[in-house]
Amino acid sequence: MATTSITIRMDENLKKQAEILFEDMGLNMTTAITMFAKAVVRQNKIPFEISADPFYSEENQRHLMKSISGLDNVKGEIHELIEDEDE
């Protein structure tokens, strides 16, 4: 079977963390990415659940914009800092 090269770009810190984890598993980056690609092809889907962060939901964004507007119009509330009792 012929092989080919691919080039991907990712955050340097993420790459380092992944390499350390893969090394602990006895893998290198190439083997891990190949395993991922084989699982995608075999299952005909991404082999894990992908979901949106609720922070970015329309409802939450409306709430945040309303809060920001209130702060901009000096209608915000000042809250006491809650101290951790263990500290």
Side-chain angles (χ1 to χ4, degrees):
M1 174 171 50
T3 61
T4 188
S5 295
I6 62 171
T7 302
I8 61 171
R9 300 185 66 72
M10 73 171 59
D11 176 79
E12 182 179 359
N13 190 41
L14 174 61
K15 179 181 180 259
K16 288 177 184 176
Q17 290 175 334
E19 286 174 329
I20 291 168
L21 180 61
F22 295 149
E23 184 179 329
D24 288 347
M25 296 175 180
L27 306 170
N28 60 31
M29 184 71 78
T30 298
T31 303
I33 299 296
T34 300
M35 290 171 64
F36 170 76
K38 286 182 177 185
V40 168
V41 170
R42 183 176 53 253
Q43 297 177 29
N44 201 31
K45 66 176 189 167
I46 302 292
F48 47 83
E49 183 178 335
I50 299 174
S51 60
D53 185 338
F55 177 82
Y56 297 102
S57 71
E58 286 185 38
E59 180 181 356
N60 194 52
Q61 292 300 305
R62 278 193 303 273
H63 175 76
L64 290 171
M65 294 309 291
K66 182 178 176 184
S67 296
I68 290 168
S69 177
L71 291 171
D72 287 344
N73 294 315
V74 193
K75 295 179 183 175
E77 288 184 40
I78 297 174
H79 297 276
E80 294 280 333
L81 195 67
I82 298 173
E83 297 292 332
D84 189 355
E85 293 179 17
D86 294 338
E87 291 181 359

